[in-house]
Each structure stands twice: as structure tokens, then as C-alpha cells.
Amino acid sequence: MTNRNARDDVYNIIYEKEAAQILAADLYYPGCLSLGRKQVKAEAAASWTRPYDMRIVHSKRWTAAEDQVLLQSDDVVAVAEKLGRSEQSCRMRRWRLRNSRMLPPSTH
């Protein structure tokens, strides 16, 4: 469950790994005006290297068409094969769609 922070009542967005390095480089470029403690964190992010045994995970976004296929079939195994996704991924996505954990797919 995502919660707002206690101090400001806002959501904190987290960037990690290479995405954090890209964002930090854009925000804290050489010679920029910044708080010292933030500059130190940006430099720490820039010096991070991915461990050789840490795999890179590329998530495949769901499309409205895929959501429709998923919702129109009761055969998760067949849908997973058709969409090139895991059965668990299809089960979870269908559960989220059916239980209002996300917006329903657009039919436009």
C-alpha cells in the first residue's frame, strides 16, 4: 500500500539504479546551484555500479487491447501464451482489473 509521508502529506517518488543516475545527472550537473547534502547524494548515485550478478529487469507495459483479451477469456493459460506473458502475470493483472486496483482498460 502506498501512503503519503507524515511531514508533508505528499507521495515520495523513488528512483533507483540507472534511472536514479540519469535523473541525478540531469538535476545536479557540474556547476549547478544545489544544496551540499543533495550534491553529495547525487555524486553517490553517479558512482553506483550494478553488481555483475544483478540482472536487469525490463517490464512490459500492458495495453488496453491486452487487458480486453485477458478480461474476455477464462483460460489464463491460453491468454498467457497468446500474449507472451507468464500465467502469474495474467492472473495478477486480471485480479487488479476486476477488483478496481487500477483504471479499467480504455476501449477507444
Side-chain angles (χ1 to χ4, degrees):
M1 179 105 213
T2 304
N3 296 316
R4 295 174 182 264
N5 76 16
R7 185 186 72 195
D8 303 318
D9 198 35
V10 296
Y11 295 102
N12 290 324
I13 300 170
I14 298 174
Y15 281 79
E16 298 176 329
K17 302 177 182 82
E18 289 86 358
Q21 290 179 308
I22 293 167
L23 180 62
D26 285 345
L27 296 175
Y28 297 97
Y29 52 88
C32 74
L33 180 61
S34 65
L35 297 173
R37 64 186 175 85
K38 298 290 187 174
Q39 187 68 43
V40 168
K41 291 288 188 182
E43 290 166 4
S47 68
W48 178 83
T49 56
R50 178 176 291 276
Y52 76 94
D53 58 344
M54 180 185 283
R55 64 188 186 107
I56 298 174
V57 178
H58 298 285
S59 61
K60 182 179 169 188
R61 301 250 182 230
W62 285 85
T63 65
E66 289 175 320
D67 286 343
Q68 289 297 333
V69 169
L70 183 61
L71 291 171
Q72 292 171 356
S73 175
D74 290 328
D75 188 355
V76 174
V77 175
V79 171
E81 187 175 321
K82 179 179 181 179
L83 298 177
R85 295 181 176 273
S86 70
E87 292 175 34
Q88 181 60 29
S89 174
C90 290
R91 281 189 181 86
M92 183 57 72
R93 179 69 174 187
R94 184 167 60 181
W95 181 85
R96 286 178 177 153
L97 289 167
R98 288 181 175 172
N99 291 284
S100 301
R101 300 290 185 204
M102 58 183 45
L103 295 174
S106 174
T107 56
H108 305 303

